[in-house]
Structures are given as C-alpha cells and as structure tokens.
Amino acid sequence: MGFFHGVKASEVPTSIIAPVQTTAGLPVVFGTAPVHLTDNPAAYVNKPVICYSWAEAVAALGYSADWDNYTLCEAMYSEFKLYAVKPIIFVNVLNPAIHKAGVSGAEKDLAADKTVTINEPVILSTLKVKASSEASADAVLNTDYTAAYDDDGKLIITVLPDGALAENTSIVLTYDKVDPTAVTANNVIGGVDSSGNATGLELIDQIYTMFSMVPGIVAAPGWSENPTVAAVMKAKCLNISELFRCICLTDIDTAQVTKYADVNAWKNNNNYTGTNQCVCWPCVRMGDMVFHMSTHVMGIIGVTDAANDDVPYQSPSNQSLQATGLCLKDGTEVNLSLPQANLLNSQGVITGLNFSGGWKLWGNYTGAYPSITDVKDSFICVRRMFDWQYQTFILTYWQKVDQPLTPRLVKTIVDSEQIRLNGLVSRGFLLGADVKFLEEENPTTDLLNGIIRVHSYITPPVPAQEIDDILEYDVNNFQTLFS
C-alpha cells in the first residue's frame, strides 16, 4: 500500500440482502395456436412468448374460436378475458412448415363483389392464384389481387379492378393449409435435436434464462388428459433447470370418464398421483363455451395470488369460478352434489361446486392425496409455498455463490433469510419460521469442498377445510326466568 496522509473511507457489503421478487404463479402453457393468422407464422414455433395483454397474444399467436384444434386460444381467452391475469407465457408447438396439407388447382367462383372467401387455414406465403388451370403464369399479389384474413379467421381474396384477373368469373388456387390434427402428443412432449434445439416441454428449462422469471404453473389444456403428456409435465416440473420446482395442472379425460364415480379409478390407473400435480374433473361451461377445468384453475390461482401480494399461501379452493355450469367435453351437463364433490376431493381431485355464493372451485389436495398425507405434498397451497421458497432462496442468494466461506457469509445468509421470513410471519403468510446453520448438517468434509447448508423451518397455514359448530342446550339459562 502506498503512502497516504489524510482521511479516507471504504465500504463493505451490506450484511442484510434484499430478497429477489418472483412471480409465484407464472403460467407457462403448451399447445397449438393459429399462427397462420399472424404476420410471421414461423416466429413463435417452439419459441416461448410472454404476453401481458389480449392484443399482444393475438398479434403473436393469432386467435381462433376452434379450441379443439388451437388449444392455446382457450387459455388465452380464459386468462385475459375471464380472469384478467397477466403475464402468461405461451409455447406453440404447431409448425406450419411440418403440420400442413396441400391443396392444388382448386377452382373458386368469384362473388359479385369480386371476392372469394376461403374457410381453410391457408398459409399465405404458399398461396398461388391463377386465372385458370391452363394459365402458365401466377397472378401477382397486390397487383392482380389481395389476400388477407378477416376478424373471423376467414381468408378473403379480392380481385383488383385494374389487374389481370379483372374480367374473370372464377380463379384457381393452389396453397398449403395448416393441419392442426397432424400435431401429436409427441410434439407437445418435445425433445432436443442433434443441434441442441429444444421443443415442447423441454423448453421449460429455458424460461428463466429467456425472461428472468421462474415458471410457477405448467399447463397444457387439451393435451394434459393424455397420460404420457401428464407424466412428462409432472417430471419436468419437479426439476426445472436442475434448481426449481412448480406445479402442473392436468385434466382427467371426460370422453373416457363420464361419471364422478369412475374418476378415482382412472386417476390411479393412469398415475395422476404427483405431489406437484393438480388433477381436475370435469370441464367448465361458460355460456356456450366449454373449457378444461385446468384452464380455470390457472386463472383462479392467478387472481388469488394477486390478491395476496404474489405470495401463494392461499388455496384456490372455494374461490369464484367464472362458470355457468359443469359439463363433459361434448357439452353433456354434469351435476354434482356436495357429498359427490367432497368424494372427489377426498380422492385428490379438484372440481367445481354451486353450493353457496355461486360457482366455486372445490378442492385443496394435490393428486398425491390420499396415498401421501405429508402436509407439504398433499395440500396445494402448502406445496406451492415450498416451491416458492425454493425459487426465492435460490435467486436471492445466488449472488453469494463463490464468495469466501467465512462466518460473515454464513451470518449474512442466515440473518437475511430470517428477516425475510419474519416479514412473512408478521403478515400472516406463515405461522412461524426459523433459519439455522447447524453443525451436524455441515460436516468438515463438506466445508472443505465449499458446501454449506442452511436449515429453514417454515410453517405455511393449511386451509381450514372443515369448520364445526358444537351446539349444546344450556339449562342454566332457565335462571333468567327468576331474575
């Protein structure tokens, strides 16, 4: 150190670390979208896109009321229109370059206004228009004709009055159209190719690196009733980027299970029994629209979390369901009494109930119940609080990785975490919490390798799902007759 004469100052790192804010219930939804309706159909194929509004989602992915073929549109409508929840991350697995069918030489008559309406999902970049089947040259876009989708998803081809087709009464079309029926469960499950490009559910690991947000919910309405897809969802959610965990929302197939009495057998036979898995039956009706139950669970969780400052300590059960009834996928009405709904709850299944105060979501348990009764794995809200603790702790103290292992480092982590958890206790989000650095959990052999362990004891509240009033006739009050 060189010579110094005078007064100076220096600083040391703050001994208390501010916690990292996370989005507890960030939904990541996998499925198919009508990307042929967008300006660039290839832009979001197996590429996650985060959307904060209906307009943003429609611009990126397109929208169609055909939810059977375009499953992401169901989640899009529910999240933005019914529950006003944001943001949401969509992953479209429909690839127009692969999932397509060709149409060649289709002759179409022009209407009186010189237009042709096509009700098929035409990929605009493949559209070729000719004056006749014998014509050698194609007509020129924006010179001889225009082609654009209207608000109903129909392609309108308009012959221009100064173009080469102006005198025609019909035109001949050749094009490729999107074939959403060609998308299979394997496309949703995805994988990694020889170049390292991930597709489908394998993209879960990339969400944090892309958006600096950890998935809180993984859903695939329209696909999660497939046992293979559900099994992969379950596995991926238990080990996100080898660091994080979250829950997945899955549906029981209402085409196979049409009666509440058959739900438990299907659930167990198809292994819908994960500790991080919410199992839903049947579907939800809103007017003429039919939704998968998992779609509404996702929305209710988002609304409930938002009401609690993004702390996932409250169960979604007994929260308002934006519904006019329950039904099967084919629209057949389902009526459940309280005992029937409670039976499904006792089997680890979430359902809906119209008992008091309108339609409510009904059920507190994960799919692991009743075979697993450990409170952290059986109650949805407790499981989510533990998952949230995973991500908050990891992201908050990641900045301390590779710092010198000194008593100051240990004390900083323990004290900072205790202060954070005490704040949650004071606000009622935890019943109690304690953070310790225990000698028996930190043997010298681990310390020599730079490994330390902090032990956090947390007690998220469980849902008060049974409230009893014990009544007794008190004969002592007859004394009031003599007062």
Side-chain angles (χ1 to χ4, degrees):
M1 181 178 178
F3 174 79
F4 175 79
H5 183 190
V7 179
K8 65 178 182 178
S10 62
E11 59 184 55
V12 297
T14 306
S15 59
I16 300 299
I17 301 173
V20 171
Q21 299 299 315
T22 64
T23 303
L26 177 68
V28 182
V29 188
F30 292 80
T32 52
V35 290
H36 62 280
L37 299 175
T38 67
D39 294 335
N40 185 359
Y44 293 109
V45 174
N46 281 303
K47 180 181 178 182
V49 54
I50 188 167
C51 299
Y52 286 83
S53 69
W54 170 263
E56 192 176 3
V58 172
L61 300 168
Y63 177 79
S64 171
D66 183 4
W67 295 351
D68 288 337
N69 283 319
Y70 305 109
T71 58
L72 289 180
C73 294
E74 176 187 330
M76 189 187 303
Y77 189 94
S78 176
E79 290 290 277
F80 292 123
K81 296 290 190 180
L82 298 184
Y83 292 99
V85 175
K86 61 181 181 180
I88 179 170
I89 293 175
F90 296 98
V91 181
N92 165 57
V93 301
L94 187 153
N95 188 344
I98 299 173
H99 306 118
K100 63 181 181 178
V103 175
S104 180
E107 185 172 354
K108 302 291 183 180
D109 292 330
L110 291 169
D113 60 354
K114 292 292 185 177
T115 63
V116 170
T117 301
I118 308 296
N119 290 320
E120 294 183 313
V122 177
I123 303 171
L124 283 177
S125 62
T126 68
L127 177 64
K128 298 181 184 300
V129 179
K130 290 186 176 183
S132 67
S133 57
E134 292 81 19
S136 59
D138 295 333
V140 180
L141 179 65
N142 295 328
T143 298
D144 301 322
Y145 71 95
T146 61
Y149 281 99
D150 65 10
D151 292 339
D152 296 322
K154 297 177 181 179
L155 178 62
I156 309 298
I157 300 174
T158 304
V159 171
L160 297 176
D162 298 329
L165 304 173
E167 301 301 321
N168 281 51
T169 58
S170 65
I171 54 177
V172 175
L173 308 178
T174 298
Y175 54 85
D176 288 337
K177 62 179 180 179
V178 168
D179 182 9
T181 63
V183 179
T184 68
N186 286 334
N187 296 124
V188 179
I189 292 168
V192 180
D193 64 20
S194 58
S195 300
N197 299 312
T199 62
L201 288 166
E202 289 296 325
L203 288 163
I204 291 176
D205 287 338
Q206 297 184 13
I207 298 299
Y208 182 74
T209 55
M210 292 180 67
F211 305 109
S212 296
M213 295 180 177
V214 179
I217 300 170
V218 169
W223 297 99
S224 66
E225 58 263 50
N226 181 304
T228 306
V229 173
V232 175
M233 290 171 66
K234 217 171 26 171
K236 295 299 295 182
C237 291
L238 284 173
N239 188 20
I240 301 173
S241 302
E242 298 187 355
L243 293 172
F244 309 112
R245 296 174 51 131
C246 74
I247 62 167
C248 61
L249 307 180
T250 57
D251 294 287
I252 289 176
D253 190 345
T254 61
Q256 297 183 34
V257 182
T258 59
K259 300 176 182 178
Y260 81 95
D262 299 330
V263 168
N264 191 50
W266 193 96
K267 170 182 178 270
N268 291 325
N269 290 340
N270 290 284
N271 201 30
Y272 279 54
T273 54
T275 58
N276 65 327
Q277 181 178 25
C278 297
V279 184
C280 309
W281 186 90
C283 294
V284 175
R285 180 192 298 282
M286 183 64 179
D288 294 330
M289 296 178 290
V290 175
F291 299 79
H292 293 86
M293 178 71 74
S294 64
T295 304
H296 280 256
V297 174
M298 180 168 57
I300 289 173
I301 286 176
V303 171
T304 304
D305 286 357
N308 294 305
D309 291 337
D310 202 35
V311 180
Y313 88 113
Q314 184 174 350
S315 172
S317 184
N318 205 23
Q319 300 301 307
S320 293
L321 192 64
Q322 298 288 2
T324 56
L326 302 180
C327 63
L328 305 178
K329 189 68 177 71
D330 63 8
T332 303
E333 188 176 7
V334 174
N335 291 306
L336 293 176
S337 65
L338 178 59
Q340 292 168 342
N342 282 346
L343 175 64
L344 291 174
N345 289 175
S346 72
Q347 296 164 346
V349 177
I350 300 170
T351 189
L353 183 66
N354 187 11
F355 185 76
S356 176
W359 284 100
K360 301 292 179 69
L361 196 69
W362 201 245
N364 290 303
Y365 290 119
T366 66
Y369 190 84
S371 60
I372 294 178
T373 56
D374 185 333
V375 65
K376 74 177 180 63
D377 292 323
S378 58
F379 280 120
I380 296 168
C381 55
V382 178
R383 179 64 265 159
R384 293 189 64 227
M385 280 294 284
F386 269 73
D387 292 345
W388 184 63
Q389 173 65 14
Y390 269 67
Q391 60 175 266
T392 305
F393 184 90
I394 291 169
L395 296 177
T396 298
Y397 301 106
W398 192 269
Q399 59 190 293
K400 291 300 181 182
V401 171
D402 296 332
Q403 296 295 308
L405 206 174
T406 62
R408 179 182 177 85
L409 175 68
V410 173
K411 181 175 174 57
T412 296
I413 294 173
V414 171
D415 289 351
S416 299
E417 188 63 8
Q418 186 67 66
I419 290 171
R420 186 184 74 84
L421 293 178
N422 287 347
L424 295 176
V425 173
S426 67
R427 299 172 69 189
F429 297 142
L430 293 174
L431 299 181
D434 198 10
V435 184
K436 295 183 178 180
F437 182 72
L438 302 174
E439 185 174 354
E440 59 269 25
E441 293 180 349
N442 291 275
T444 303
T445 50
D446 283 347
L447 295 176
L448 284 170
N449 284 299
I451 301 170
I452 60 172
R453 295 180 183 87
V454 174
H455 197 131
S456 297
Y457 302 82
I458 62 172
T459 311
V462 300
Q465 61 178 359
E466 182 176 334
I467 301 173
D468 297 333
D469 180 18
I470 300 173
L471 298 178
E472 181 178 351
Y473 194 94
D474 189 351
V475 298
N476 293 320
N477 288 320
F478 277 116
Q479 296 298 319
T480 61
L481 297 175
F482 306 103
S483 60

